[in-house]
Structures are given as structure tokens and as C-alpha cells.
Amino acid sequence: MKYHIVTYGCQMNLHESEKIAGILKTVGYTDPAPLEEADIIVFNTCCIRENAENHAFGNIGALKKLKREKRGLLIAVGGCMVQEAGKAEALRKKFPFIDIFFGTHNLAELGSLIEKKRAQKKYVLSLLEERKETEDGVVPVRTSYPNAWVNITYGCNNFCSYCIVPYVRGRERSRLPEDILREVEALAKEGYKEITLLGQNVDSYKSGDWDFPRLLDAVARIEGDFRVRFMTSHPKDFSEALVAVMKAHKKICKHLHLPVQSGNNRILSLMNRRYTREKYLEDLALLRREIPDCEVTTDLIVAFPTETEEEFEDTISLVEEADFSSAFTFIFSPRTGTRAAAMEGRISDEVAKDRITRLVACVNEKTRQKSAKYVGKTVVILCEDFDEKKQLYMGRDEYGRMGYFPSDRDRIGEFVSITITEANGISLYGRAE
Ligand code: SAH
Ligand code: SF4
Ligand code: F3S
């Protein structure tokens, strides 16, 4: 039997979909297939912003006809949106054809939920409030070669006032270092060329005497021809120890994704981020003193409740000062149950759109300037894929830039030196040496 998984949201969800594929295999769904040919369709949802939810609602709704026409087709919906208070019920009412609902804490149970559904007519719903153990027993079907995702922490305790993640992913828990190291060793032996350590907040990794710098150091000491990335880091946990480990190992990419969210201290405090603009810039200065060519990317939110024009401009000026190589930019989206959703002073859609447009223009200009400097230089990229549209191979350099190049043989999984002939946004074009 065949399966199709639709994934929304962050890298955590991408990796969880690999675990879902692993579970599906154990209950008879062995091959991935296009939507129309699948015997089971699984939606792995996200609820970080309203548009993520709208997307999922739209695409689940569109399956009504297929479900009616194809006997035996199962539809399962899981992930963060299902875990959100009241959402499973809302989905069930709106789409009575969904067969299985599962939350974020019981992914490992999916196989038995499918078996239960096969034996009964009624839908199956399983949501847990919290769980302590992790999905370590699940063998993922990895789809992102030459990269492999490795979870180090689950959940989040930070409660940034705008964010729903702590509510749908539960309290933070760290995997045992020996389990993580064993997994990375096996992946390196299997030939994976990039290991990405994953957590909502990797820096708060804690297991006995192990903290994140120690874990990162141990991962980078594992033998093999691979590089190491990690995400996401929280500025409040930035440490000299982390910089020292990054500096000590060639294997660790010189790229830090450090979401700042806003350049204004009053807004940062309302967001409950627990650092200031000045502290953030000091940390970047330290990082660049130690690793001068390290690139930094970030996440930014505009139109947080009560944000004034001047406060927004602080975010614009920070993009300049912090010298980000790129940034993900978002309009504040109120999430039910979070503190910010209950705050007064909502910013109008019109103002929010104006701010995001200006911010995107500023970020793009910065990215363009930085990329232009690469023309004529040689960069080493890890070839990840073949871009069908462009008819070019592509990959990323250790700084996180995308590089495209032509080749008449398959280069996926190879480290390739390319000489850059053209830059366009964050993408570089060149020829392989
Ligand atoms: N754990 C990571 C990722 C969180 S989600 C971290 O702490 O950075 C990724 C990004 O989505 C966040 O960094 C933030 O910029 C954005 N985001 C989260 N909640 C949001 C909301 N309610 N509205 C708009 N953007 C949001
Ligand atoms: Fe959300 Fe903040 Fe946790 Fe990131 S650190 S997941 S933004 S609460
Ligand atoms: Fe979305 Fe859940 Fe990730 S809300 S961003 S999929 S942790």
C-alpha cells in the first residue's frame, strides 16, 4: 500500500514526517506516492501563524471528493494544529471524513491508531496533554539525504508572549547524549554529509552534566566527512562556550540562526524575549571577533501589539547594524491562548502590510549586497538536489547560501567547489571546478 504525507511548518515537523513514514511502513504502507494514488494521506500540521492553519484547512477540505470516490482511503491529521485547544473538535465538525486525529505527544502511537481505525467505522482520536518519553524507538524514513535531522530537545519552556509552540509541544525535554551520539555516528557511517541538530531551543539542552556546547563538541568529534548545523538558538542562551566550540571545529558550519524578533527593547520585553537590542549586538560582536566570517540569519516579527512606527524603525536599523545575511519576516499573528493575543493595541492590517513590505525590501537589499561580494570567489557547497525548473544542481555553502551549477553527472551528496559567476538574492550561480 502507498502513502502520501503533507507537511507544514518547521524542520521539526519535516523530521517528524520522516518518523511518520517510518511508522506507516510498520503497518503496511511501504511506498510514497502522489496524493491521488495513496491509500493513506497524512497531514502533519502547523499552527504557528494563522495562514499556516488556513493552508491546512483548505487542503484537507479539498480531499472530500477523493475520499468519497476512493474506497478504503484513510485520512489522518496530526501535528501542532491538532494539539491546539479545541482544534481537533473543529476539524472533526468541518471535515467529518477525517479518519484519524493524533496530537504531537503521541506520534509513536500512530500505527496502533491506524489499526484501530481499520477495525471500526467511527473516527479515531488520540490526544495527550503531555508526555515524558520521546519517539526514540521509531525508525524514520529519511528523505533529506545528504542531510539528516537529529532531535536533541523537544518542546519549549520560553513562553514568548506571541508563540503557541509551548502550548502545543509541551515542556522542554532533552534526549540522552549517548542516544544522540549513537544516532549521529550511525548516520555518518551511512554516508550522510550534513547533520542538523534540532530543537525549539537547542541552547537549553540539558542532560546531567551535559549542556549544548558540550554536546555540539562531542558531535563534531565524531569521525566522518560531514558537517554540522543546529537550530534554533535563542539569544538569551548565547554563550562564549558555544562560540568556542564553533570556532574549534571545522565540521561546524559558520552560520548561526539567531532569531531576534524585534530591534526595540520595549517590544522585546513585551514579547518576553529576555534580552535587549544592546545585548544581542554585543553577542554578535563577540561571535564575529572570534569567527570573523560567521554569517548570522534571523527571524523578525512586525506589528506586534502597540508597536509604533519608531519602534518598527528600530527593527529596520537593527537589520543594518547586525549585518544579517538573510531573515525570515513575519506579520504578528494572534494565537488563541497566548498572552499577546489578549493584549490591547492591535496594529491594523494596512499598517502591518506597509511595515512588512518595507522590512522585506530592507532585508533583500542587505542580502543582495552580501551576495554580490561572492561573485568571482570560490565556495564549497554540499550538493543536495537537482532543480528541475532551473535544470541545475543546487546546494548550500557552510554559511547557508544556495549555490547552483550545471553538471552532466549526478553530484548529490558531494562537496563541490564552485566559482561564482552571478549572484541573485541569496542564490549564487557558478560553475563547478
Ligand atoms: N523555536 C524557534 C522557532 C519558533 S517559530 C525560535 O524560538 O526561534 C519560528 C518563528 O516564527 C519565530 O522565530 C517567530 O519569528 C515566528 N513566530 C512565532 N509565533 C508567531 C506569531 N504568533 N506571529 C508571527 N510570527 C510568529
Ligand atoms: Fe516560541 Fe519563543 Fe519557544 Fe521559540 S523560544 S518556540 S519563539 S516560545
Ligand atoms: Fe509549526 Fe509546530 Fe513547528 S506550530 S513551526 S510545526 S513546532
Side-chain angles (χ1 to χ4, degrees):
M1 288 188 294
K2 296 175 183 163
Y3 67 87
H4 184 86
I5 305 174
V6 184
T7 311
Y8 304 91
C10 59
Q11 281 86 356
M12 194 74 80
N13 254 21
L14 287 174
H15 184 39
E16 248 143 52
S17 287
E18 296 181 329
K19 294 183 189 173
I20 290 174
I23 295 169
L24 292 178
K25 230 170 141 176
T26 64
V27 287
Y29 302 96
T30 46
D31 298 300
L35 193 93
E36 301 74 30
E37 292 165 30
D39 301 294
I40 188 167
I41 301 172
V42 183
F43 285 88
N44 190 11
T45 62
C46 170
C47 57
I48 196 85
R49 285 169 293 275
E50 199 184 348
N51 53 8
E53 293 199 345
N54 293 345
H55 259 116
F57 263 87
N59 290 340
I60 296 169
L63 289 185
K64 192 174 171 184
K65 191 159 162 272
L66 190 66
K67 175 71 182 169
R68 213 171 32 217
E69 287 166 0
K70 190 165 175 177
R71 276 198 59 204
L73 169 66
L74 287 185
I75 296 180
V77 183
C80 292
M81 188 165 96
V82 176
Q83 193 71 37
E84 206 184 328
K87 270 286 150 63
E89 195 49 30
L91 279 162
R92 205 182 59 72
K93 287 222 171 92
K94 202 160 165 76
F95 307 120
F97 55 84
I98 298 175
D99 299 293
I100 298 161
F101 299 86
F102 60 103
T104 56
H105 301 301
N106 50 344
L107 181 87
E109 222 189 303
L110 180 61
S112 56
L113 298 180
I114 291 171
E115 273 161 1
K116 191 168 163 198
K117 172 62 204 175
R118 282 173 180 162
Q120 72 182 46
K121 229 176 134 43
K122 198 171 170 255
Y123 68 90
V124 171
L125 183 147
S126 182
L127 285 177
L128 298 175
E129 276 303 307
E130 191 70 54
R131 87 186 240 134
K132 291 276 177 293
E133 74 271 38
T134 54
E135 296 90 35
D136 283 0
V138 175
V139 182
V141 174
R142 296 191 180 268
T143 52
S144 59
Y145 177 84
N147 174 66
W149 313 105
V150 175
N151 283 119
I152 64 165
T153 68
Y154 300 93
C156 182
N157 290 348
N158 288 325
F159 289 94
C160 302
S161 65
Y162 51 82
C163 186
I164 199 163
V165 171
Y167 302 91
V168 294
R169 289 278 175 170
R171 294 294 61 72
E172 189 175 278
R173 50 239 183 255
S174 297
R175 281 178 74 197
L176 292 171
E178 54 268 33
D179 290 348
I180 297 167
L181 297 174
R182 207 181 306 120
E183 185 174 348
V184 176
E185 268 163 28
L187 291 165
K189 280 210 184 89
E190 281 173 49
Y192 284 89
K193 295 290 191 285
E194 183 175 83
I195 302 293
T196 306
L197 304 177
L198 282 184
Q200 293 305 338
N201 186 4
V202 287
D203 312 82
S204 50
Y205 178 84
K206 197 98 194 96
S207 181
D209 319 327
W210 288 71
D211 60 6
F212 182 60
R214 182 171 172 197
L215 180 72
L216 184 63
D217 182 70
V219 167
R221 281 174 197 279
I222 291 172
E223 233 172 272
D225 181 25
F226 64 92
R227 62 189 189 186
V228 184
R229 295 185 185 279
F230 53 91
M231 69 185 342
T232 307
S233 294
H234 192 302
K236 81 171 166 48
D237 300 316
F238 181 90
S239 66
E240 282 185 40
L242 173 67
V243 177
V245 173
M246 288 178 75
K247 187 178 174 178
H249 295 281
K250 266 212 160 87
K251 273 202 175 89
I252 303 175
C253 291
K254 291 178 185 164
H255 171 209
L256 186 64
H257 185 63
L258 199 61
V260 65
Q261 316 297 359
S262 166
N264 176 269
N265 287 339
R266 190 184 72 88
I267 297 294
L268 285 173
S269 155
L270 282 180
M271 286 176 163
N272 192 31
R273 290 291 286 181
R274 288 172 278 178
Y275 53 85
T276 61
R277 173 192 179 104
E278 293 72 26
K279 165 75 168 47
Y280 184 88
L281 286 168
E282 270 169 36
D283 289 344
L284 290 197
L286 170 87
L287 173 72
R288 286 170 171 146
R289 223 170 18 246
E290 294 297 315
I291 313 172
D293 55 341
C294 190
E295 291 288 3
V296 180
T297 54
T298 201
D299 294 348
L300 300 164
I301 298 177
V302 301
F304 188 82
T306 74
E307 183 189 66
T308 65
E309 168 63 22
E310 271 182 355
E311 289 167 337
F312 161 69
E313 282 168 12
D314 285 342
T315 299
I316 295 266
S317 71
L318 184 74
V319 171
E320 274 304 320
E321 257 183 79
D323 201 27
F324 297 123
S325 54
S326 74
F328 294 107
T329 51
F330 308 107
I331 293 178
F332 167 74
S333 173
R335 307 281 66 210
T336 310
T338 63
R339 275 202 286 133
M343 285 180 190
E344 311 223 320
R346 282 281 170 82
I347 306 298
S348 72
D349 286 355
E350 197 190 341
V351 171
K353 280 195 186 120
D354 171 63
R355 287 184 189 165
I356 194 96
T357 309
R358 285 153 65 201
L359 182 63
V360 167
C362 167
V363 168
N364 287 350
E365 178 53 23
K366 190 89 218 151
T367 303
R368 198 192 59 73
Q369 285 169 11
K370 287 203 137 210
S371 295
K373 289 187 194 149
Y374 277 80
V375 176
K377 293 203 172 123
T378 299
V379 301
V380 178
I381 65 160
L382 171 59
C383 183
E384 320 178 337
D385 210 349
F386 181 69
D387 187 312
E388 291 288 346
K389 259 201 208 136
K390 294 189 163 98
Q391 288 290 304
L392 295 170
Y393 281 91
M394 64 78 58
R396 278 171 307 152
D397 69 4
E398 67 168 316
Y399 308 102
R401 274 169 214 281
M402 310 261 255
Y404 292 86
F405 66 99
S407 169
D408 43 22
R409 66 180 172 89
D410 186 352
R411 306 296 292 267
I412 296 173
E414 284 178 40
F415 289 99
V416 184
S417 290
I418 61 172
T419 304
I420 305 305
T421 50
E422 190 195 328
N424 183 358
I426 197 140
S427 307
L428 306 171
Y429 295 83
R431 42 170 201 276
E433 292 200 329

